[in-house]
């Protein structure tokens, strides 16, 4: 039987290149999948040479994942339509601000029987509720879309340091296929049915990381940071209960995308770092983005603003003192020390939507 | 009305002195409590002077909490019976190996109407089940015993850096009194009814910290450590389900004594440090205790041994791969890299005993 499935990775940054590396190795052992994995590369010149050409000859993304060889069966393609043609499994891993344009480009080319998975962090919350990346991709392409998120700093995965991730996928057979593409001995995949919960955790943890960065900026210690992580985690879970229609499952918070990603982001991430500098320098977030990140936009403080709009419009801000304090410190000039105001909230009766008994074998393990 | 209540703190180490400092300040604002707070000090000479005398004249425990003034109403007493006489509220905060001797000493002197609270980390697990410090104190003294544990590195609290703690106390009125003694703007107390759960978390987190130290010793990163913390936390919760008769509540794991203390201990504690050195040097734990801690015994690897005895005797070790791996690395010469073996366990249907609806106002907040 010839292989009937083929993977395309849309995006070739740090995380996209890392994902292509894992998938490129895994497909060689999966008889259902064509060996060739296309990776769509936004074409640019690196030292006068096209990046696609470098990847296809040197088998290394010298700009975004230097020092790690990509398997020979990963092929860089500069035209997104060409890259996606014939793909049954589409991995979307580009900066969120470019998603709409890319979806418009590939819309007519994507196979109607294909499936997608989103590795993009970023949700939009308004007074109406939440829109997630899987929802945006599904509306544009009309195909099922899964999500992947976890305690996954890309460089550490590229170095094959052990970690876990969570795939949210409603269909058990689809989940098994995605897992077979991503799971390795050092990158352990757990699957849950809660697509949106995985995305929610991946976005909201950045707000908690802003709070953790304030603690670092204030020169406080491990006790204090652990308190902020705990309260932030519980406000995330409480927000999930309140977000109308989201139906996020409580158990999702215990997966890598939840608890583990909150911890790793509060100790190592860029949102944390920006918030620390915010306290130490007194500069605005946007100015620090220019100075420290070449103008790259971070999610944490933007999501904090969206979350506050939601809880304020619903009249429930008082139940989210940490999120409220973080918002007011970022946007209204309150002193970072006010992060502790009113944090004595009772979370003991909270839970997001209770987790239903899963279908047999849905929470897979393949070792 | 003259005050009818009086506090005695049994123990004057780092944590005992910090507790006496907080309580000494709080009683001045509590009309029910006598201003005088006795702190039992194991008498020793410091630069030729008695430690009790130094504390009662300089108002500083120069040996165990240097640099932080104790309130004048905290009185050091060298005789434990004298210290505890007339006390209605007894705070037990001595190294666990000295508890039995102290209890035998004070048994006939403790007021039968008194209450105690244990700040001691340390439980004993055997094939029969678990014995906790509050149970030992209760059996010896015949009075109600509460527990206190949280993400509480004593030095950081003495510096008045914000943190949280958890008091486990069955009786709501007793819980309110304990909270009034400990709660400050920088030391936030939450109360739960689950006395044993608080102690369980305080002891088991040290096993997870040993795992986290192995990760640091192996030079792995934030992703990996977050994965170990997540899995360790879920094995703690699973062990609570299995410990016959313990009836630990699921919500306790979300308090400071649970999630927050696991995090802070895995980033900052001595169990973590010892385990890191164990990997880097190849020396035995007991040897490292001699070299790094003047022979002081740490709980983490000892508790790991007790936990393994329990799960092995019950035939459930396979459901605790991380605890099993940590035990075998500590005691059986397995390589620290084997910590990752078989970690792909499904925790999604786990919960300790579901939390009952609490009595009104039991989960107090006094701000």
């Amino acid at each position: 039987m010839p292989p009937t499935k083929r993977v395309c990775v849309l995006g070739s940054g740090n995380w996209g290149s890392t994902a292509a590396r894992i998938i490129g190795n895994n497909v060689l052992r999966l008889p259902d999948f064509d060996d060739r994995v296309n990776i769509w590369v936004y074409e640019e010149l690196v030292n006068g040479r096209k990046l696609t050409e470098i990847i296809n000859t040197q088998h290394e993304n010298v700009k975004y994942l230097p020092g790690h060889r990509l398997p020979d069966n990963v092929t860089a393609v500069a035209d997104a339509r060409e890259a996606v043609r014939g793909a049954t499994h589409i991995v979307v891993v580009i900066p969120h601000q470019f998603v709409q344009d890319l979806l418009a480009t590939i819309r007519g080319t994507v196979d109607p029987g294909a499936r997608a998975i989103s590795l993009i962090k970023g949700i939009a919350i308004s007074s109406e509720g939440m829109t997630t990346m899987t929802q945006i991709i599904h509306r544009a392409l009309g195909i099922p879309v899964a999500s992947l998120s976890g305690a996954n700093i890309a460089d550490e995965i590229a170095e094959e340091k052990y970690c876990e991730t969570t795939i949210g996928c409603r269909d058990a057979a689809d989940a098994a296929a995605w897992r077979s593409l991503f799971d390795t001995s050092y990158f352990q995949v757990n699957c849950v049915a809660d697509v949106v919960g995985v995305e929610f955790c991946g976005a909201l943890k950045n707000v908690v990381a802003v709070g953790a960065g304030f603690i670092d900026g204030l020169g406080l210690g491990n006790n204090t940071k652990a308190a902020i992580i705990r309260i932030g985690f519980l406000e995330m879970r409480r927000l999930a209960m309140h977000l109308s229609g989201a139906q996020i499952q409580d158990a999702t918070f215990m997966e890598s995308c939840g608890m583990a990603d909150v911890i790793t982001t509060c100790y190592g991430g860029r949102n944390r770092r920006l918030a620390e500098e915010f306290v130490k320098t007194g500069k605005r977030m946007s100015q620090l983005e220019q100075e420290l990140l070449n103008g790259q936009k971070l999610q944490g403080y933007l999501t904090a603003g969206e979350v506050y709009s939601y809880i304020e419009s619903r009249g429930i801000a008082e139940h989210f003192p940490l999120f409220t304090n973080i918002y007011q410190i970022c946007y209204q000039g309150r002193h970072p020390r006010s992060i502790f105001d009113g944090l004595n909230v009772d979370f003991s009766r909270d839970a997001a939507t209770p987790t239903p008994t899963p279908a047999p074998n849905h929470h897979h393990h393949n070792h």
Side-chain angles (χ1 to χ4, degrees), chain A residues 154-188:
Chain A
D155 287 327
E156 296 182 9
I157 300 167
E159 291 167 17
E160 306 197 357
K161 293 177 174 172
Y162 182 94
C163 70
E164 302 182 299
T165 200
T166 312
I167 285 177
C169 183
R170 280 180 206 93
D171 181 83
D174 283 355
W178 287 122
R179 198 184 51 258
S180 70
L181 290 171
F182 282 100
D183 195 81
T184 74
S185 61
Y186 60 87
F187 190 63
Q188 291 275 302

Side-chain angles (χ1 to χ4, degrees), chain A residues 290-303:
Chain A
Q290 286 301 332
E291 293 179 13
L292 302 174
L293 302 163
N294 291 318
Q296 195 189 339
K297 287 284 171 193
L298 286 191
Q299 291 293 309
Y301 77 97
L302 300 174
T303 304

Side-chain angles (χ1 to χ4, degrees), chain A residues 41-352:
Chain A
V41 174
Y42 182 83
E43 191 70 282
E44 56 187 303
L45 293 180
V46 180
N47 298 326
R49 286 178 70 199
K50 287 179 176 175
L51 183 54
T52 52
E53 195 186 301
I54 297 171
I55 292 174
N56 289 333
T57 54
Q58 289 180 227
H59 303 291
E60 181 183 341
N61 185 336
V62 294
K63 178 145 186 192
Y64 297 106
L65 192 65
H68 298 285
R69 190 179 166 83
L70 296 169
D72 294 357
N73 52 317
V74 171
T75 304
V77 179
D79 181 318
R81 269 178 291 236
E82 189 193 326
V84 88
R85 190 168 286 126
T88 56
H89 289 73
I90 300 167
V91 179
V92 189
V93 54
I94 60 169
H96 58 104
Q97 62 268 35
F98 304 133
V99 169
Q100 293 287 6
D101 278 358
L102 178 69
L103 292 172
T105 303
I106 65 173
R107 186 177 311 207
T109 312
V110 168
D111 187 308
R115 276 101 182 76
I117 192 166
S118 167
L119 274 57
I120 303 170
K121 302 283 195 291
I123 60 174
I125 296 175
S126 70
S127 55
E128 267 84 75
M130 178 170 65
T131 306
T132 73
M133 208 44 79
T134 60
Q135 290 165 342
I136 289 169
I137 297 169
H138 174 70
R139 280 174 207 157
L141 302 181
I143 61 175
V145 187
S147 54
L148 183 151
S149 187
N152 301 147
I153 296 169
D155 287 327
E156 296 182 9
I157 300 167
E159 291 167 17
E160 306 197 357
K161 293 177 174 172
Y162 182 94
C163 70
E164 302 182 299
T165 200
T166 312
I167 285 177
C169 183
R170 280 180 206 93
D171 181 83
D174 283 355
W178 287 122
R179 198 184 51 258
S180 70
L181 290 171
F182 282 100
D183 195 81
T184 74
S185 61
Y186 60 87
F187 190 63
Q188 291 275 302
V189 176
N190 276 350
C191 295
V192 299
D194 181 10
V195 181
V196 164
V198 172
E199 297 178 277
F200 174 87
C201 288
L204 267 291
K205 62 114 196 279
N206 288 323
V207 180
V208 184
V210 171
F214 290 160
I215 300 306
D216 290 336
L218 291 166
L220 299 168
N222 277 318
N223 291 352
T224 313
K225 199 187 238 186
I228 294 300
I229 292 172
R230 184 189 88 86
I231 295 168
F233 180 81
L234 292 174
E235 289 198 8
M236 282 171 58
R237 208 169 67 141
R238 175 172 281 187
L239 183 63
M241 293 166 61
H242 278 280
L243 263 177
S244 41
Q247 296 195 300
I248 294 167
Q249 303 297 309
D250 204 45
T252 304
F253 289 88
M254 289 292 121
E255 296 291 340
S256 178
C257 65
M259 180 181 178
D261 198 16
V262 172
I263 294 170
T264 202
T265 309
C266 286
Y267 280 91
R270 292 177 303 172
N271 285 283
R272 186 210 63 75
R273 181 172 163 233
L274 201 75
E276 180 179 5
E277 293 298 319
F278 177 85
V279 174
K280 287 182 170 170
T281 63
K283 294 176 181 172
R284 275 176 303 140
M285 292 288 190
S286 52
Q287 190 181 347
L288 291 166
E289 285 173 333
Q290 286 301 332
E291 293 179 13
L292 302 174
L293 302 163
N294 291 318
Q296 195 189 339
K297 287 284 171 193
L298 286 191
Q299 291 293 309
Y301 77 97
L302 300 174
T303 304
E306 293 185 358
V307 166
Y308 185 74
S309 298
Y310 182 81
I311 60 181
E312 207 274 334
S313 72
R314 300 278 165 135
I316 54 175
E318 66 180 303
H319 301 300
F320 298 88
L322 181 64
F323 287 171
T324 299
N325 295 344
I326 290 170
Y327 165 78
Q328 293 179 341
I329 295 165
C330 288
Y331 293 98
Q332 299 187 333
R334 278 181 72 200
H335 192 279
R337 276 210 78 88
S338 68
I339 192 171
F340 303 118
D341 291 356
L343 292 191
N344 52 324
V345 169
D346 181 359
F347 294 104
S348 67
R349 270 159 284 188
D350 276 21

